[in-house]
Amino acid sequence: MNATDVIEAFSMPSWNGPISEADRARALTALEDGKVVMVPGLEFRLHEGEYPFLDAGALDNSRKNISYDPRAGKCGGSGVSGPELERLTIMMDRYATSADHLVRLMLPSYAPHLEVARTSFRPAEIGGRVYSPRHDDRRLHVDAFPTRPTGGRRILRVFTNAAPDGALRRWRVGEPFPDFAAAFLPRVRGMFPFQSLAMSMLGLTKGRRTRYDQCMLGLHDTCKLDMKYQEIAPQADVVFAAGTTWMCYTDQVLHAALAGHCAFEQTFHVPVEAMASPEKSPLKVLERLSGRRLV
Ligand code: SIN
Ligand code: FE
């Protein structure tokens, strides 16, 4: 596999476009096909007082990310307070707003259905750290989070590499989701009856974990723990230069982040029904493969 198989590139001078109708259609098809939509040169400009935040050491070392909730306007995991926290919040909110704008502009058919989730800032260098296998995003995986079941909704993420030293963000991108799922689904164990209700009642999950969520978590874990697959699976090296923005469905695109620092990320959830081709969603693929409804 080559990077050109998994990347669809667009040229856009600013977060406000312009973008042609033809490019909008191309972006929608590429995303739903499981490609990475990339806009080289679409940078997130920092303001004067924000540069200190790019130094990972300035922030709470115990966490790898700063997390921001755009609906509540609140930052977590920063370890800063007072006027500094205010400046950090403004920076995070500016990224959230820019990414929201971009998605609505490129994918207008999603706009009425888009659910805005969390924003993150990832200052720390990915390479050269120690992770447990399940938390090691340097291994190929599809995104699925134990505490945040989606019930089948899509995970659409926008990223920008804002490394001030020009460091590349290096990814590997794997095979198409249907091929991956067909190989791994038989290895994923189901959920015990009442487990999902119990977890939600105990507050362990935000909402009910459906059979779909259980499958996706199983795929995430099984894939990361299979070192043979990690080595021999079809995959392409992809690099994102500093000052580049990209987006993809991370619940569908097998990805691994190998190196880089100072990335911004905004998550959206998209209902399957809002897609142009719902049959391409992981939910529909897994339902076809398992022969049963999963939500
Ligand atoms: C991931 O979602 O696995 C990490 C992506 C990144 O931080 O570049
Ligand atoms: Fe991921």
Side-chain angles (χ1 to χ4, degrees), residues 6 28 96 98 128 189 199 260:
V6 296
L28 182 64
S98 305
R189 157 183 97 77
M199 290 183 83

Side-chain angles (χ1 to χ4, degrees), residues 43-279:
E43 61 176 327
F44 180 61
R45 284 216 187 89
L46 293 167
H47 294 175
E48 193 60 36
E50 294 171 348
Y51 283 94
F53 297 135
L54 299 191
D55 175 5
L59 300 160
D60 187 346
N61 275 327
S62 62
R63 310 229 193 144
K64 57 180 180 178
N65 295 338
I66 308 292
S67 169
Y68 174 66
D69 178 352
R71 289 152 306 176
K74 290 242 177 329
C75 264
S78 69
V80 299
S81 57
E84 253 195 312
L85 179 59
E86 243 166 70
R87 267 191 289 130
L88 183 66
T89 306
I90 289 170
M91 176 179 82
M92 298 299 286
D93 195 70
R94 204 169 65 254
Y95 188 73
T97 305
S98 305
D100 187 77
H101 212 90
L102 180 70
V103 169
R104 288 172 201 275
L105 183 78
M106 283 189 106
L107 308 157
S109 60
Y110 287 176
H113 313 283
L114 210 56
E115 295 166 33
V116 179
R118 299 193 79 86
T119 320
S120 66
F121 173 50
R122 308 167 175 210
E125 175 55 47
I126 296 168
R129 293 175 38 192
V130 183
Y131 307 86
S132 74
R134 274 193 183 76
H135 290 116
D136 190 352
D137 289 340
R138 296 171 306 181
R139 301 179 183 203
L140 283 168
H141 64 283
V142 286
D143 282 350
F145 305 103
T147 56
R148 293 173 193 276
T150 73
R153 288 173 306 150
R154 309 300 315 274
I155 303 175
L156 176 63
R157 291 186 139 174
V158 178
F159 297 88
T160 301
N161 179 355
D165 59 353
L168 302 171
R169 202 162 191 89
R170 296 184 176 278
W171 276 25
R172 293 186 288 145
V173 171
E175 64 185 327
F177 184 83
D179 299 345
F180 158 69
F184 275 85
L185 191 59
R187 295 165 56 181
V188 171
R189 157 183 97 77
M191 200 166 25
F192 296 113
F194 306 116
Q195 190 181 343
S196 98
L197 181 61
M199 290 183 83
S200 125
M201 282 168 57
L202 289 168
L204 297 176
T205 54
K206 289 195 173 64
R208 279 291 280 278
R209 193 187 275 181
T210 62
R211 276 201 291 267
Y212 169 77
D213 294 296
Q214 194 67 14
C215 279
M216 291 298 287
L217 284 169
L219 291 174
H220 170 276
D221 289 358
T222 314
C223 176
K224 275 188 176 172
L225 296 174
D226 186 339
M227 285 316 284
K228 184 101 190 134
Y229 179 79
Q230 293 291 328
E231 255 172 56
I232 64 165
Q235 49 194 286
D237 286 315
V238 173
V239 294
F240 304 104
T244 285
T245 294
W246 65 100
M247 64 172 95
C248 66
Y249 275 123
T250 56
D251 54 357
Q252 174 179 8
V253 176
L254 275 156
H255 61 284
L258 305 183
H261 49 257
C262 295
F264 286 85
E265 173 270 331
Q266 174 65 49
T267 301
F268 300 91
H269 291 133
V270 181
V272 168
E273 309 78 61
M275 296 174 64
S277 306
E279 72 278 4

